Amino acid sequence: MELNREDALRRAVALATRGRRAILGITGPPAAGKSTYAEQLTAELVAAGHQVILVPMDGYHLAQSALEDLGLAAVKGAPQTFDGYGFVALLKRLKDSADETIWAPRFDRSIEDSIAASIPVPPETTLVVTEGNYLLFDQVPWATGRTLLDECWYVDLDDDLRHARLEARHRLFGRSPQEAHERTYGSDEANAKLIAATKPSADAIITLT
């Protein structure tokens, strides 16, 4: 199923107003626009009076120091560089313990690290929007997390534009043009191929331009 932004908003409103807490996943390859789209969707829903909170998966990046100790810093963003079990445990709490305030971590790109207990999810929250690379990944623990999502949408973008955005992002955060290019077409592209393979499992496809 393909959704435009208007149809997607109506579908999200239905999730937010069905009478029990729902979790909506937004996934897609690096620089496809899923983070920006998830932020915009959440803001629209909140502006319309709905109790919606955005909880990105990126808060479960392993700490930079841990990645360096494990020899994984060069492939940051790959599945093994996340605390996948921790993320799935959070989804389960969000689903099963809607009567308590739950605190989630967030990823701060300016320091390239996560900050614990930064995002409060109060009991009145009717929809949690989560976004991340591996929400549709069919390996443990990600596959368990998929069962906790009421819906998961895949954000698609032309690869040439996505690559250009990704290189620009890497340069913005301090990498040289050569480093940005190598990262974009190296580890990031390997991750993008893993994520693209999950596209057929999505409940809906959103194409951004």
Side-chain angles (χ1 to χ4, degrees):
M1 175 193 308
E2 293 193 7
L3 295 176
N4 59 33
R5 287 178 181 266
E6 292 75 19
D7 289 338
L9 179 60
R10 283 192 288 270
R11 198 172 176 99
V13 168
L15 287 171
T17 57
R18 67 180 191 173
R20 59 184 176 86
R21 179 177 292 173
I23 305 179
L24 168 64
I26 310 264
T27 193
K34 61 184 176 295
S35 299
T36 300
Y37 174 69
E39 290 170 1
Q40 292 171 342
L41 177 64
T42 301
E44 286 184 272
L45 291 165
V46 170
H50 302 290
Q51 300 294 323
V52 183
I53 301 289
L54 174 61
V55 179
M57 190 195 84
D58 275 1
Y60 283 87
H61 268 291
L62 297 184
Q64 186 66 26
S65 59
L67 294 175
E68 291 168 1
D69 289 344
L70 293 167
L72 294 173
V75 293
K76 188 171 186 174
Q80 66 271 29
T81 65
F82 290 88
D83 175 15
Y85 285 96
F87 176 65
V88 171
L90 173 70
L91 293 180
K92 186 166 178 56
R93 282 189 69 199
L94 290 169
K95 197 78 169 180
D96 296 344
S97 302
D99 58 343
E100 62 185 71
T101 296
I102 297 169
W103 288 86
R106 68 176 176 87
F107 184 74
D108 188 330
R109 196 171 289 280
S110 68
I111 61 172
E112 284 291 303
D113 247 328
S114 298
I115 301 174
S118 300
I119 304 172
V121 183
E124 59 267 24
T125 303
T126 60
L127 176 64
V128 174
V129 177
T130 187
E131 58 88 7
N133 290 347
Y134 303 110
L135 302 185
L136 292 172
F137 208 38
D138 62 0
Q139 296 181 13
V140 174
W142 311 103
T144 304
R146 174 65 181 97
T147 66
L148 298 167
L149 303 178
D150 294 270
E151 291 193 14
C152 190
W153 303 346
Y154 186 99
V155 174
D156 211 2
L157 185 69
D158 173 77
D159 277 341
D160 288 341
L161 178 54
R162 189 176 60 77
H163 290 150
R165 285 183 177 180
L166 197 50
E167 284 198 66
R169 178 196 294 174
H170 286 316
R171 292 195 301 269
L172 178 64
F173 288 98
R175 291 187 172 92
S176 70
Q178 180 178 346
E179 290 171 334
H181 184 82
E182 290 175 350
R183 182 66 180 263
T184 296
Y185 290 93
S187 61
D188 283 344
E189 187 63 11
N191 296 336
K193 289 178 179 178
L194 283 178
I195 298 159
T198 71
K199 180 178 173 180
S201 299
D203 294 298
I205 309 295
I206 299 176
T207 301
L208 301 178
T209 57

